[in-house]
Structures are given as structure tokens and as C-alpha cells.
Amino acid sequence: MLRHPTPSTHQCLLLSVLLLVLGWNMAECYLGEGRKIWQQPRLNPITNDQSFLQDTFPPEFLWGSGTAAFQTEGASEKEGKGASIWDHFTHSSLSGNLATGTADVASDSYTHWEEDVEALEYLSVRSYSFSLSWPRLFPDGNARSQPNTAAVQHYTQLIEKLLEKKIEPIVTLHHWDLPQVLQEQYGGWKNDTLVGLFEEYAAFCFHVFGSRVRYWITMHNPYLVAVQGYGTGVHAPGEKGGLSGSLIVAHNLIRAHAKAWHTYNTHFRPAQRGKVSIVLGSHWVEPQKGQATAVNVELCQQSIEAVLGWFASPIFGDGDYPVSLKLKHGALLPMFTADEKLWVQKTADFFALSFGPNNLRLHNLVQYEQTVTPDLRRVLSWIKLEYGNVRVLVAEGGWFSDAGVGREDTVAIYLMKSFINQVLQAIKFDGVQVFGYTAWSLVDGFEWNYGYTVRRGLFYVDFSNPNRTRTPKTSAQYYRHVVCDNGFPRDESSREVKGHFPCDFHWGIADSILQVHFYPFSPQFTDPHLYSWNLTGDGSLHPVPGVKLHTRQAQCTDYLAIRGHIRLFASSGASHYRFALNWSLILPQGDRSNVNTEALRYYRCVLTELKKLDLEAVVILYYPTHRAPNQGLPGPLHASGGWLNYSTVQAFQEYAALCYQELGPWVQYWITINEPNRLVDVYSNGKEKHQAAHNLLLSHAKAWRLYEREHSSQRRALVSLALHADWAEPANPFMDSHMAAAQRLLLFELGRFLDPLLGTGYDRVYPQEKKSHLEAKARVIGLTGSPLPSFTEIEKEELRGALRQALVPWGLRKILNWVSQRYGGDLPIIVTASGIDDQAPFEDILRQHYLRSYLQEALKAHQLDGVNLQGFYVWKLQDRHVPQFGLFTSTQHQSKAKASITVYREFITHSGFPNNNTRQTCRFGDLREPCSVCAWIFNNKAMLVFGGCLLITAVMLAALVIFKGKNT
């Protein structure tokens, strides 16, 4: 027989693509629909409310947990148990690392099985997935011999206790612990004799336990048995047979499963009415750099087919291996006969999926630079597309924790929450019929080739204690909470409320430093030359020699950039415009020795144009850039130490005085410093951070006192500072230390600036909690006292009360409540900047969703919680180069409104979320509607000017003709 060489990877890929393009419709070229998942555009999770779904699972959802016999039972030589290949593997040099230990005792669940049942009761789960130990039931591996009665009694007691507690047993026949005698006598799963031996073993288990078991699993994750056990030798039995060995073993495992299923289907199903399946493991990949080209999609499909499809296609598909495996492995891949294909096909009553680190950690799965992602939802959707709308049990879901983590397994909670929510999304959004989830594993045990270096249990097992005590980890507490809630139900706080914001609510748009354009767009009054036109016949202008005209300074009306910018803002319907002055432009030297009067005049023009349209300005004196070279400071001030030098405090007071004097008549709202709590993060060490924060606080306080003293009686503007605010949830809600850390973050972010301004009592200038925490940290390294700078008594007096409003730039309901509750419910709060990066040029769906969600939370804070919320500013007006945060996009010097501007205008028009589209009866009721004719004129001004010139020329020519006609 001639043997064809195995095709290369590129040949395989080329043939696969050709088969796909040509659309061959032959049985041996069966193609599912799984590859469509990469061809479809991924829905934006936020716009579709899918980032985290608040909803519940179906009423009869089968919540569970699971273990494997070899990992947890222990009792390796008790009551007649025979050796397994894993016993032999861990006791020999084959494992390559004897330091990982053995499973001779492990969690000792054979002895402490009742404590495992109590652990299941603690979790409130409805199912328990466990495996039978083949060598414990039949030490010689032969089910025709006498079974070990002690083992039969043990599993019978376990099943009956589970049923007594109303916990469904899900029983696995084979979870990797093959009797060692079968490995020695036949070569293990390389020998097809084991197909018949496994069928006899399965028949015994069905007969003895089947009347009390509704769900059977023939074997767990055969991919790892074939590849790791007989290919690479990482798992027992430690054989390194390479690809050919893995392919033969996989073939026999599939046939053994099918034979067991047919045995149940023929002899036991009529009376027992149970269901039989096989647990298959998988990873997940996305195309290289997210580019879903035909080639990349095909590579992803091949990656999944090489693991999950290897076993699933014969069982759930057409009875044969995927085409990609046939092309890749050629004659090495065993073949199913035509009869075998029909016999193997559909030999599972549901799809059981394993999704965890044992598959996702395999580095050989990614050969084409795809990205491996733990996206369980996508795997479930792929299964539905590839094999039809089968019922699915997530038979293994979970992750490892390092052995040193102990009972506070925060990362495990995060991954559990993510996986379970992905399952919920697959059910609700993709229509996948998932009927159960098994959190793996119930207790810590022997983790195969990792031994005891990692832990995976929901319950912590003390391996140093002879009694192997079990203690619930924080992940067990979390899982119990999810099970009892049947998912993630919406609470009352997530329901939408209807209502209006106050009539004087600030509907604003926020920008950073306003760009100054010194040269007017209209030069007709600033150019002293007189020009003649078309003297040379080419339409050019030529200055008339010797003629000089009188000029005047540019006026505000000459700056067409200002008028266009303000009219663009006005078209949004917003009432307040927040922008920043450029300190280093106004005072280049940092003091009043060199005042840029032109810059001040430009800002004055902006303010007067706003006033003409009855719009309010919110002006920021100092807008840190948070980056080199000068952090937004005048160069000399930065060079002298910036905010680490007290001289900058004095310079800021001088700068504030100038701005109050020159621009004060047009400004009702001043912000001294924007996000000082973000600026301090640029400093390298704690001492510098504290000193910078100290001086920033003093700068604000002195500027505030200056206005109070010299301007408030005449102009009555409000002065405040804007703080960045992030709400922090504890990573692990079951740990006091995490709760304290979340609270400490708020104190460090906000409290260190707000407590000195709004706190009471001279002993609490900085938050006491912050002072105590820093003092404790200092004592650890042998220091005494607080590292925080101290305020003098005069400075304390200047600070106290130097705030009329707390402006929170990026907050939601919880942060608004925190500020309100800590500093008094009457404290006026304004959200001065809130936005999101949406790169859509016009249809910015993400930003629309963001606006609705954040304004809804703001309304709840105001209406339900009594927070004195007085304004909401959207970040920002216009993009500069590429679509990003702007409400307007700008291309080729033309501005175009994005879809979100209509949404924002609707909120402004109705002043919130009204019932039946009613308007708030106040000054916003007769809000300026945008003038469509005005907008058209503004956008076509160049054409109109040109048309006007033509019209004037035509009129003058007509008059000239008439005049000449009269003279003749």
C-alpha cells in the first residue's frame, strides 16, 4: 500500500479554504456553521447591555459542583482498591517531578464523604458531579470478575445521601484513573481491547447504580487523555507516543464512549430513563488582531476543531472527524467505516462541556498567532452553530488559585462571576440551551501534574491536618450567593425612574484648554494696503504702491473661529460651557512681569459671545496636562519645582487675581484647579505626592479667599475645584480588608482634598482614616509620626469652608451618595465632565447608551437619594482629528453632529426622563430650538458670500447699462 505524505500546514489551510469556497456538499466534507461566529460583527457589550447581564437563570437550572475520584478520594490502598495509572505515575519517575506529591490521601473524601455532602448543602446546589474509581470497583480492571463490595457500598451510600438531600448525582464512569493492570496488560487506551472492557465496566455501573442516577458521563475530557497521557507524557501513563499515539488513543476513546452509550440505550434506558453524555474540553481563540478575514476565520475554526471538534464532530456531527483534521494528519488519522460513522453519530443525550485551565493553558493550541481568550459565551455559541441547538451542561467551570492564596481567593471569584455571567448571556442573548453549571471543584485536591502547587476547590482543605478539615473559601460564599439568587437578579436600584431635574440644572458641555487663535479670520480692518484686482488679467490682487490706509485693532466679531465655535456649542441646546484658560500663555513667566493681553482679550471675546446668546461660562484657571514638559505650568514655575515649591502657591494666587479682574464680569462659575487628585499621581514617591497635594489645596483655598474678599460682594460668582472620582467596589466583598481598601481609595482620592475644606474640628484636617493608615505604614519601616505635611493655624482657617460646591467629574449614583453623606446632604454637587471614547464617526451608539445610563443614575441620586445634584456636563464638544469623545466630529474643517447630540438635546428639552414626553415647566420649557435655516446659512457661508458678490456685480452692471442708455 502506498502511503501519501502528511500535507503541510499551508497545504491544509489552502485545501480547507478551497473546500469552503467551492461549497462541496459531500458527507465526508461535512461543514457546520461554527465559523460564522467569527464572521459576524461582535456586538458592543455596553451598548447591548451585555458587559454584565443583570438577570436570572431558568427556574430549574441545575447548579452544581464536582470532583474527580483520584483527585479527592485518597485511601489509595484501603478496602481493596487497586492501583490506577495515576497511582503508578505519581510514585515513579515518569511524572518528572516527584515534588508534586501523590494522591495517596489527598482530600480523603473516601473517608470524609459526608462532609463533602455538607459542603454541597452549604452551597445550596442541586447537583453533584463525581466519578467512580474503576480500580476501586474492579482492582483487576475486569468487570466480569467480582466487584469490590466495599467500593459498591461506598458509592451506594453517597448516591443515597445525595438523593436524601435532594441533590442530583451526575456520575462519571472514567475520569482518567485507568486500572494500572490494564495499562500493563494491554498498553492502555492504545489497545482497542479496552473498548470492550470499558463497555462491560459501564454496563455493571448502569446495572448497580442506574436506578438512582439520571445523568451519566462516560468519560471526562478525552482530549487530555489522548494528548497529555499518550502523546506528550505530561499526564499518566506518561507515554510519549507523539501524534500517532494520540490519534489512536482518541479513536479508541470515542469508540468506547459510543459502545457504552449504545449499551445504556439498548438495555437500561427503557427502565431507567436516564441520559448519557461525554465531557469534552475546549479553549477559545479570536482572529489575529481582531481581523476576521476568510483566512483568519478558517484558522480559528481549525484551532477549535483540533480540540473540541476532534471528539464532538464524530459524536454530535456527521459521525466523522473534521475535514481539517483529515487534511492535516492524513493517513495517520484512523478512519471510521461507513457503518461506524452511523454507529458513533448522535451517541450523546446532551452536550457536556469542560472549560477551564487544563485546556486554556495548552500552548500548542495556537499556531497562527490567534488570541486565546477565556470567553465561555463564544464557545457555547459556537457549539450551537456547529452542532445545532443541543442541550448543554457546563460540566466543569473554574480556575486555579496559587496554593498560597488560602481561603481568600479573590481572582477565583472574579473568574467565576465572569464565566457564570457569560453562560447567562449565552442563554438570554444567543439562545443556547444551557441547563446546568458545575463549579469545579468542590474541595481542594491533587491537581494532576500540578500536584499541590495550586488549589481549585471552593472549600479549603488543610492537607497538614489528618482530618483534612474543610473550610469554605470566599469563592464558596460567592457561589452560594449566586445559586441562592439563581443568577444576578436586578435590584430596585437598577430599575429606571421617571422624573425631572431642577429648573436651574446645569446642562453643560466640558472642554479642556480653549485654543487661542490670535489672528482674526477677517483681515479687512487690520491690513493697511489698498489692492487693485485683475490688472494682469489673471484675477490676482496687487497692492497699490505708496498708499497706506488707517487700520484698527481686531474686534471680537473679526474672530470668526470664536463665533463658529460658540454657535456650534449653542446648537447642542446646552446652557453651560466649561473650558479652561491657558496659564502658561497668559503669564509666560509665571508672574505679572509679562502679561499676554492679546490672550486675555481673546478669552474676553469668547465670554462676551457666550453672554450674547444667554449662555453661561464655567472657567477653569489651571488645567493640568499631567505630562511633560511643564504639566500646564508656566515654564519658570515648573523649573523651580512646580507644586513642590510653595512659591507656586503664591504665583497661582497672583494669576487668579488677574483673571478675576480681567474676566470676572462675564464669569459666574470659576474652577480653580481641575482634578488636582489626578495631578499628584505624576510624582514619583509618596512624600512628593503629599507635598504637591498640600500646595494644591493651599492654592485653591487662597484663590477662593481672594475672590470672597475682593469680588464676591459685586459679582457673586461661585468658586470651587473639580475632583476626579472613581467608585471602587471591593474586589472580594467577603473580605474586610477589601472593604476597607475600597473605602480608603475614596478617602485618598477625594477625602484628602474635601476633608480639609469641608471637615469639622481642627484635629481632622486630613481624613483621620488616611492619617492612621499612613502612620501605620511608616511604623513598619521604622518611622514615627505622619508623612502628611501639616497646616499652620492660619492655613487651616483659610482652608475651612473654602468650597461651596463639590464638583465630581466622573461619577455615578454611589459616588454622589458617598460625597453627599460624608459632607452633608445640602452640599451642591456638579458632575463637571463625563464622557466615553466612541470611535464611530456619526452613529455613536455607545455614547448614546452612556448618556442615558449616566443621566439615569444621576436622576436616581437626585430624586431617590436626595443628593443636591445641580449639573451634568458631557465631555466634550468636538473631536480634533479622529472620532473620539466629541459630540461633533470635525473633518476637513467642517463640523457635523453625531447622533448622540440628538439624544442629549432630548434630555435637555425634557429636563430628564419625563412620563409621556412631557416637558418640565420651567425656563427649559421654552428652550432654544436649533435654527435649521441659521445652521444651513452657517455651513454654506462661503457659497453665500460668493453668490452675494455675483448678485452685487450683476446689479452694478445693470445700473451701468441703464445709466449709459439714458445718456445716449
Side-chain angles (χ1 to χ4, degrees), residues 479-490:
Y479 188 51
R480 178 189 187 187
H481 178 76
V482 172
V483 171
C484 292
D485 284 345
N486 198 29
F488 312 95
R490 292 179 177 270

Side-chain angles (χ1 to χ4, degrees), residues 220-356:
H220 189 96
N221 206 343
Y223 173 88
L224 293 176
V225 175
V227 174
Q228 303 281 62
Y230 291 86
T232 64
V234 174
H235 282 187
E239 295 199 359
K240 299 180 180 179
L243 177 62
S244 61
S246 295
L247 294 172
I248 292 169
V249 167
H251 197 70
N252 288 333
L253 288 167
I254 292 170
R255 292 172 65 237
H257 156 77
K259 199 168 184 68
W261 185 90
H262 279 289
T263 296
Y264 187 88
N265 195 54
T266 302
H267 302 291
F268 299 98
R269 190 188 303 276
Q272 295 179 2
R273 300 185 181 279
K275 298 183 182 301
V276 182
S277 188
I278 179 173
V279 172
L280 302 180
S282 187
H283 62 302
W284 186 251
V285 291
E286 292 293 343
Q288 182 181 11
K289 298 179 181 178
Q291 298 173 353
T293 63
V295 172
N296 283 345
V297 166
E298 194 60 31
L299 292 174
C300 289
Q301 177 76 2
Q302 288 181 19
S303 181
I304 302 301
E305 287 178 345
V307 181
L308 183 58
W310 186 359
F311 296 86
S313 288
I315 297 169
F316 294 93
D318 63 347
D320 202 358
Y321 295 116
V323 174
S324 61
L325 263 67
K326 293 182 178 182
L327 294 172
K328 183 177 182 180
H329 302 313
L332 286 177
L333 187 68
M335 295 179 61
F336 291 110
T337 66
D339 289 340
E340 282 180 324
K341 291 177 185 177
L342 295 174
W343 179 71
V344 168
Q345 187 181 19
K346 309 304 179 188
T347 55
D349 302 317
F350 56 93
F351 200 112
L353 175 69
S354 166
F355 192 74

Side-chain angles (χ1 to χ4, degrees), residues 460-476:
Y460 179 88
V461 175
D462 185 353
F463 294 114
S464 65
N465 188 322
N467 294 323
R468 296 299 196 262
T469 54
R470 286 126 163 86
T471 307
K473 300 180 186 178
T474 53
S475 58

Side-chain angles (χ1 to χ4, degrees), residues 362-561:
L362 296 178
H363 301 295
N364 61 328
L365 302 178
V366 184
Q367 303 175 15
Y368 311 106
E369 299 184 21
Q370 300 108 329
T371 302
V372 178
T373 62
D375 198 329
L376 181 51
R377 176 184 173 185
R378 300 273 279 176
V379 179
L380 292 168
S381 296
W382 185 89
I383 291 170
K384 179 183 177 183
L385 289 168
E386 187 73 13
Y387 303 116
N389 197 19
V390 295
R391 296 179 77 241
V392 181
L393 169 69
V394 178
E396 178 186 1
W399 207 261
F400 289 132
S401 292
D402 187 86
V405 169
R407 294 185 291 273
E408 298 175 347
D409 51 345
T410 303
V411 174
I413 289 179
Y414 170 79
L415 290 167
M416 175 187 288
K417 183 178 182 180
S418 176
F419 286 159
I420 295 175
N421 200 257
Q422 287 172 12
V423 174
L424 181 62
Q425 292 175 35
I427 295 171
K428 298 293 183 178
F429 297 132
D430 308 326
V432 184
Q433 293 190 75
V434 185
F435 68 90
Y437 183 89
T438 306
W440 203 272
S441 65
L442 178 65
V443 295
D444 289 332
F446 181 83
E447 290 299 334
W448 309 112
N449 52 303
Y450 297 105
Y452 298 103
T453 63
V454 295
R455 290 177 178 265
R456 206 174 169 194
L458 295 171
F459 282 76
Y460 179 88
V461 175
D462 185 353
F463 294 114
S464 65
N465 188 322
N467 294 323
R468 296 299 196 262
T469 54
R470 286 126 163 86
T471 307
K473 300 180 186 178
T474 53
S475 58
Q477 297 176 56
Y478 180 75
Y479 188 51
R480 178 189 187 187
H481 178 76
V482 172
V483 171
C484 292
D485 284 345
N486 198 29
F488 312 95
R490 292 179 177 270
D491 55 22
E492 287 300 319
S493 65
S494 64
R495 300 184 187 278
E496 183 174 290
V497 299
K498 301 291 184 181
H500 300 282
F501 288 99
C503 289
D504 57 353
F505 193 75
H506 292 206
W507 292 100
I509 295 177
D511 270 335
S512 56
I513 295 174
L514 190 68
Q515 298 298 307
V516 174
H517 304 279
F518 282 119
Y519 298 101
F521 191 78
S522 301
Q524 62 264 39
F525 299 113
T526 60
D527 189 345
H529 296 99
L530 178 67
Y531 295 88
S532 59
W533 176 67
N534 206 30
L535 287 176
T536 55
D538 58 358
S540 60
L541 292 170
H542 296 274
V544 177
V547 178
K548 294 286 185 180
L549 302 175
H550 292 289
T551 61
R552 61 160 174 80
Q553 285 189 336
Q555 297 180 357
C556 290
T557 52
D558 298 331
Y559 292 101
L560 296 185

Side-chain angles (χ1 to χ4, degrees), residues 770-784:
K770 177 180 178 179
K771 291 173 66 177
S772 300
H773 177 74
L774 292 175
E775 287 170 0
K777 287 184 69 176
R779 284 194 297 272
V780 171
I781 58 175
L783 301 177
T784 58

